[in-house]
Each structure stands twice: as C-alpha cells, then as structure tokens.
Amino acid sequence: MQHEREAHVFIFPLPLQGPVNCMLKLAEILSINKIKVTFLNTDYIHQRLCSHTDVPIRFRNYPDFCFRTVPDGLPEENPRTGTEIGNLLESMDASAVPIFREMLLTAETPVTCLIADGIFTFATDVAAEIGAPLLYFDTVSPCGLWTYLCLPKLIEAGEVPFKDDNLDEMIINAPGMEGIIRRRDLPSFYRTNDLNDQIIQLVLREDEHIPLAQGVIFNTFHHLEAPILAQLRTVCPNIYALGPLHAHLKARLASWEARPTTSNSIWEEDGSCISWLDKQPSKSVVYVSIGSLAVMTRDQMCEIWHGLVNSGVRFLWVRRPGSVTGDSDETGIDQELARGTEERGCIVRWAPQEEVLAHPAVGGFLTHSGWNSTLESMVEGKPMICWPYFVDQQVNSRYVEVVWKVGLDMKDSCDRVVVEKMVREVMESRKDEFLKGAEEVAESARAAVSPGGSSFADMDRLIEEIKTMKIAIK
C-alpha cells in the first residue's frame, strides 16, 4: 500500500536508560508493521547500547529502521545520574536541538509523524516547522505525570510550596487523587520553597506544551490506571495506553516470528546471577535494584544490607557502578554482613532484569519504583518493596501500596529495622496476600497486550493513524 511506504516516524527519547528502553520497544512494534522509523540517540547512549547489546544487529531485521545520533554536550566523564538531569537537558538544548531540527528539515524521506519525550518542549515548534503531527510519549507513569500537570493548580491553591514540614498532609487539588496522595507522595522536586527551581520551571513548561500535541502515548494499560487516564483526557483527549510495552512487544513478536526479545541495556549484564537463581527454592529470593539513575549513600547501602541479612531471606542485589555516592569502598564491612551474603546473597553490578523478575526463584522486588521496573514486576506477579528516588517514583510507590495493593511503600526511610520488617512481610508473613494481588494485576496486564485487549487495540489504532495520517494538525 502506498500509505505504508510513505509513513515515516521520527522518535526522540530522553537519553536515559528507561525512556530509551521503552521507546525502542515501541519502535520495534512500529517496524514490525512496516512503518519507517528513524530513532535518535545521543552519542553516549548509542555507544553504550552498541557495546552491551545486540541492538544494532537486531534492528537490521527492519530495512526501514535507522539510528541517528546527536551529541548531548556533556563531558565524557559526567556520570549522567539522576542528579544531572537538569544539566543534561540544558546541555542538549544547546548542542542537540539545532542538529535535530536540521535532521527533520533535510530528511530524505519527509517525516510524517514526530514522537518525542514529553519533557522536550522544543518539539512543538519543530513539528510545526516541518508540518508534521507531534505525539508526546511520556515514559513516566500516568499517575506521576498527572501530579506534574496539577502543579499550576497546586501553586494557585497555595498547596505548593508546602507551608510547613508536615509531609503527611493530604493533597486536595489533584483531581482523581483525593484521599490518596500526601505531600510526601508528590515527586521529590515538590519539596522546594523556590518556585524558580530549575526542575519546577521545566515541569511548568511541560504542562503548557503537553496539550499542544496531537496525542500522548503512555506505557500503561486501562485496567490499571483508568481513573487517571480519564483525568489526563481533560488535558489531551487523544491518549494511547500501549503498555506494558515490554510484554506487548513479546506478544507481537510471538505472532510475527519465533524470535525472542533481547536487552536494550546500556549496562553490561551479568548473567551469572541466573545460574545462582537456578539453585534457589521457588519464590525464596528478594531481588534488589535501584535502577539506572538512582544513587544512595554508603550509610544507606549499609542499612539496606543489614536489613536484608537480618531478614534471613535470600537476596540478589544489583549494585550498579556509581550508584553509591562518596566513599563506596567496602572495607570495614562487618563479618556478619559478609557471612550473611555468602550464605544467602548474590551481588552483581547489573542484571538482565526482565529475566530475573520472570525467574521462579524470585518472590519479591525491593525497587526504586521506576516505571519500567514497576511494570516489569507487575507482569511477572512479583510484589514490591518501594524505596523511591525521584520524578514519578514517589507517586508510583504510593499507588503500589494503597491503590494497586501489590507491595509496600518504604519512602523516606532507610533503616535496617524497617528493611528487615518489610522484607519479612512481603516474603513471609503476608506473602500469600501480596502474591494473590500481584497475580491478579499480572493477569490484567497480560490480557491488555493480547489480541482483543485494550493496549493491543490502542496500538492498532496508533499504527493505523500513523499510516493513514488521520491525526489532524491543529
């Protein structure tokens, strides 16, 4: 068909592990459906993808797919952890955005649809310049994004900045979240008295630009977040809920060809932990990971470590290089920790997370509550202990405990007694209760990405609209 040949989607993710992983999965589904895709990475991200995955080889299966790269403007030695996001965005505005605009204006095959991360407010002007519809893809959770979009209302109502230090006060002016969200459950950047804060201003700009897009894509499913998606439609009526995308891609590939999905990790995965898991009893291991951006202090690391060892539960702990700030030297770690880890633990630098969470030996996940991690845990029916770091993670951890009831929220606490108590609850005393709830959510997630499911239908709608350009430019 002529339309299929002409559709050309240009995808520009925020250059961090989570958004890149998520958008690559969407790109692969579009490629399966014979849509031409150009995927823009920063040089730093692309080099790491090429070093640690088969991504370049895998995407050669799609003749209409190509990677392009731009500099992020940061020095090579910059750690690019969560604390650097403001600097990353500022640097990209200067170094990457002009090149990105030129790429779109001079593309050999005209770009017919632009998909950009929701934080890229410059995308609205660029899309208008090339005369193509813009779809924002917010790879944070919809419940997290909704708290961003409520920021102007919260400022107007005097709820932000907070008037005192009571973080347990309920938030009133976040429609659909009444009785759920406390001050401490708002994203971490809300805990400032300065409305000129770099991230606050960035979010306010995003709030202005989201409604300007022709649609917004989310990595979620209707059954999980129907009330929040209804709120989001008041801002942008055209919403595509396509998730969980990692499971969705597997479902589409299964019907397309017998080829397994592989990793999009920018860190080298240590597969030896799978051999270790193979030797452990069913649902006996708590998996511990704070993702690709979060950091902890040495004291926090020790408190979590003591809590894990004291719980008596087996654990697999990912300690990413650079994830412990300051002095991360483990000399002086007491013998109790060393002995407990030797007996019941396994520590690796990075792990194949989807494979780990799918492993029958894993019974729970101590997580930073990143959205990809949360969804991956849900699909595998694994209860969570949530220790959030920033952006949407404070919101996600609250929803995990009080709305979805698939785990416990450990935010604002890093104490060995609390860690031990929560690990024991999830893995022992309340194990059956949490596993039952987690399996129910897993079933609804798997149904959503199967033919006839809500996410499957939304993806089909997105594919058809991209191919036939039914999305009207405002």
Side-chain angles (χ1 to χ4, degrees):
M1 281 177 62
Q2 189 180 14
H3 285 305
E4 291 183 18
R5 285 198 304 274
E6 291 177 348
H8 178 197
V9 179
F10 198 104
I11 300 179
F12 193 3
L14 182 63
L16 304 170
Q17 172 71 84
V20 168
N21 179 26
C22 200
M23 289 208 195
L24 272 174
K25 292 181 190 303
L26 173 62
E28 192 158 1
I29 294 173
L30 297 179
S31 296
I32 291 167
N33 285 276
K34 299 186 167 46
I35 290 172
K36 181 179 178 63
V37 175
T38 300
F39 196 95
L40 187 62
N41 276 327
T42 58
D43 297 328
Y44 174 82
I45 289 284
H46 199 66
Q47 181 267 322
R48 292 189 69 96
L49 272 177
C50 292
S51 298
H52 302 309
T53 73
D54 69 344
V55 158
I57 298 162
R58 189 162 85 241
F59 277 89
R60 279 185 212 144
N61 287 301
Y62 309 110
D64 287 330
F65 179 94
C66 79
F67 281 112
R68 300 288 299 274
T69 63
V70 286
D72 66 14
L74 292 175
E76 187 64 33
E77 65 275 9
N78 186 292
R80 294 166 174 84
T81 53
T83 53
E84 290 293 323
I85 285 185
N87 293 335
L88 171 65
L89 290 166
E90 211 172 271
S91 176
M92 286 183 66
D93 268 344
S95 59
V97 173
I99 302 171
F100 161 66
R101 177 182 267 108
E102 187 63 22
M103 279 181 184
L104 291 179
L105 288 168
T106 60
E108 197 174 317
T109 307
V111 173
T112 57
C113 178
L114 174 60
I115 297 177
D117 193 283
I119 209 164
F120 287 160
T121 53
F122 56 79
T124 51
D125 288 344
V126 176
E129 210 175 323
I130 63 167
L134 166 68
L135 299 178
Y136 272 130
F137 187 169
D138 255 287
T139 58
V140 296
S141 61
C143 58
L145 182 70
W146 183 237
T147 63
Y148 294 14
L149 291 167
C150 290
L151 179 55
K153 187 180 290 191
L154 291 169
I155 293 171
E156 188 183 340
E159 288 197 80
V160 173
F162 305 152
K163 290 186 168 55
D164 53 46
D165 295 331
N166 178 16
L167 290 178
D168 289 318
E169 176 136 341
M170 298 303 296
I171 294 296
I172 299 166
N173 289 282
M177 292 179 155
E178 298 88 350
I180 297 170
I181 295 290
R182 306 160 297 180
R183 287 172 173 174
R184 74 170 69 251
D185 304 315
L186 289 170
S188 55
F189 55 76
Y190 275 74
R191 300 183 192 188
T192 177
N193 292 318
D194 180 12
L195 292 180
N196 292 314
D197 174 83
Q198 182 186 30
I199 301 297
I200 291 280
Q201 287 300 313
L202 192 66
V203 169
L204 288 171
R205 284 200 300 279
E206 183 175 354
D207 291 348
E208 291 172 0
H209 282 77
I210 292 283
L212 303 178
Q214 280 70 55
V216 182
I217 297 168
F218 289 109
N219 184 17
T220 193
F221 53 106
H222 285 271
H223 181 81
L224 188 69
E225 292 191 273
I228 293 298
L229 291 173
Q231 296 291 341
L232 286 161
R233 284 193 188 91
T234 65
V235 174
C236 187
N238 188 28
I239 280 176
Y240 308 88
L242 309 178
L245 266 167
H246 72 288
H248 200 152
L249 175 58
K250 287 173 186 169
R252 297 267 174 170
L253 282 173
S255 61
W256 191 60
E257 60 173 27
R259 181 165 56 81
T261 56
T262 48
S263 168
N264 297 328
S265 173
I266 64 169
W267 296 90
E268 185 176 1
E269 295 173 340
D270 183 348
S272 69
C273 61
I274 301 298
S275 307
W276 182 83
L277 285 172
D278 289 341
K279 300 183 181 78
Q280 312 309 316
S282 174
K283 293 190 167 43
S284 68
V285 176
V286 62
Y287 169 56
V288 185
S289 173
I290 61 165
S292 59
L293 289 173
V295 293
M296 63 172 75
T297 64
R298 189 177 192 278
D299 285 347
Q300 288 172 326
M301 176 187 76
C302 288
E303 289 299 309
I304 289 174
W305 203 350
H306 273 286
L308 291 168
V309 169
N310 294 348
S311 74
V313 170
R314 293 171 172 85
F315 60 92
L316 167 59
W317 192 354
V318 169
R319 284 214 212 125
R320 184 189 84 243
S323 63
V324 180
T325 58
D327 178 18
S328 60
D329 181 20
E330 290 179 15
T331 55
I333 293 297
D334 63 41
Q335 288 185 324
E336 173 204 355
L337 290 184
R339 187 169 59 251
T341 304
E342 195 177 330
E343 289 169 2
R344 294 184 302 279
C346 174
I347 297 174
V348 294
R349 290 161 64 90
W350 197 246
Q353 183 162 290
E354 286 182 44
E355 194 178 349
V356 166
L357 287 168
H359 199 286
V362 173
F365 184 13
L366 199 166
T367 171
H368 66 305
S369 295
W371 190 232
N372 281 349
S373 292
T374 301
L375 287 173
E376 287 162 10
S377 202
M378 283 179 172
V379 167
E380 301 303 337
K382 303 297 164 75
M384 287 166 266
I385 299 162
C386 302
W387 190 59
Y389 178 66
F390 73 151
V391 288
D392 61 330
Q393 295 162 17
Q394 278 79 11
V395 189
N396 301 343
S397 62
R398 180 65 167 172
Y399 267 68
V400 162
E401 178 168 326
V402 304
V403 178
W404 303 319
K405 301 185 189 308
V406 290
L408 297 171
D409 186 358
M410 198 173 75
K411 70 162 58 78
D412 298 326
S413 173
C414 193
D415 175 272
R416 66 188 68 186
V417 176
V418 176
V419 174
E420 177 185 350
K421 178 179 176 289
M422 289 196 174
V423 168
R424 286 181 182 275
E425 276 190 66
V426 165
M427 299 297 289
E428 294 171 357
S429 64
R430 297 176 64 189
K431 179 178 183 176
D432 292 344
E433 169 197 342
F434 282 124
L435 284 174
K436 182 175 183 292
E439 188 46 46
E440 286 170 3
V441 171
E443 284 175 15
S444 61
R446 291 189 288 260
V449 298
S450 301
S454 61
S455 296
F456 203 93
D458 265 15
M459 184 71 81
D460 281 349
R461 177 168 66 90
L462 173 64
I463 290 164
E464 188 55 32
E465 288 180 355
I466 285 173
K467 284 182 175 179
T468 57
M469 297 314 301
K470 285 179 185 169
I471 309 165
I473 298 177
K474 293 178 184 176

